[in-house]
Amino acid sequence: MDTIDARPRVRVPRTASPGEVVQIRTLANHPMENGERLDADGNRVPRHIIHRFVCTFNDETVIEMDIEPSLAANPFIEFEAEVPESGTFHFAWHDDNGDVYEATADIEVA
Amino acid sequence: MKISRRRILAVGSAGLVVTLLPLPASAATEADELIARFTDGATPGEGPLTITAPQIAENGNAVGVEVECPGAKSIRILAPANPNPEVCTVHFGPLAGSHRLSTRIRMAETMDVIALAEMEDGSFVQASARVRVTIGGCGG
């Protein structure tokens, strides 16, 4: 399967107060080929998607998501996290081809 | 030909039998069977689960859907009329700030999008939202 330049992007506030719930938005570039489409020659284009997304904060899980081919291309995921202390969000998008696209974001909690 | 009242009734009821019987039966069971696959056969109840989607989506390639269910362990989104009816399942971890997720899904045609939440006690809750799709988004 092709290598994809997913350029994952995340939007996380830079600061928060202890225990605050912050909104997180993520977007990755990916065609999310669902295995149903036919190419110009009438051949089925094989499935190639991001099948899993994980967000952690200081190694504790915020959300885990199992993804199927019916999610739209360029997956957009918005959710909320609770931040007990300063630290780092880690984001990982797992591609069918074995690649893992990663992003991190620091937040200062005071 | 003179059309008698009896004839109208006969034709009318024949039409009713043909249109009513097969359609709702198959449509209902398909979604129900799909749900039963994830609930181990249990029938989901009603609860604090909400699913928000547009009433009309011009383009089925990316339809914004938001699900929320306080007290849920996980929420699954299903698009029953898609070639692949499963869309995604979100599991909330200890640092989830809410039991809410917003994403964009593909929709092949007009249908009821279903959210299925598994609660902390293992029970299931279901909600759905009707979305009219103008142009389908599943290729094929």
Side-chain angles (χ1 to χ4, degrees), chain A residues 18-79:
Chain A
E20 191 179 334
V21 169
V22 297
Q23 189 179 62
I24 296 177
R25 291 171 149 196
T26 73
L27 188 69
N29 276 21
H30 199 288
M32 297 293 279
E33 198 59 73
N34 65 3
E36 300 292 329
R37 210 168 54 85
L38 305 178
D39 66 15
D41 302 325
N43 301 314
R44 202 164 284 275
V45 182
R47 167 186 149 149
H48 180 188
I49 68 168
I50 288 169
H51 62 265
R52 188 167 168 79
F53 169 76
V54 179
C55 171
T56 59
F57 180 71
N58 292 350
D59 295 326
E60 263 218 276
T61 307
V62 179
I63 67 162
E64 293 175 341
M65 195 171 164
D66 296 313
I67 300 174
E68 306 290 337
S70 281
L71 204 84
N74 304 325
F76 163 81
I77 305 167
E78 185 191 294
F79 54 96

Side-chain angles (χ1 to χ4, degrees), chain B residues 14 22 28 31 40 43 48-49 63 72 76-77 82-83 90 102 128 131:
Chain B
D40 261 342
T43 307
L49 171 64
V63 182
R76 190 181 293 271
I77 302 177
N82 278 9
V90 55
S102 187
S128 64
V131 180

Side-chain angles (χ1 to χ4, degrees), chain B residues 17-98:
Chain B
V17 170
V18 169
T19 52
L20 279 186
L21 274 183
L23 277 181
S26 62
T29 46
E30 244 175 66
D32 289 347
E33 272 172 23
L34 186 66
I35 289 164
R37 264 190 8 222
F38 304 115
T39 62
D40 261 342
T43 307
E46 284 183 21
L49 171 64
T50 54
I51 176 165
T52 311
Q55 286 185 329
I56 297 175
E58 285 191 5
N59 184 345
N61 276 319
V63 182
V65 174
E66 182 177 306
V67 290
E68 180 166 21
C69 187
K73 273 196 291 194
S74 68
I75 307 178
R76 190 181 293 271
I77 302 177
L78 299 166
N82 278 9
N84 301 294
E86 288 181 62
V87 180
C88 63
T89 309
V90 55
H91 307 271
F92 299 102
L95 286 186
S98 67

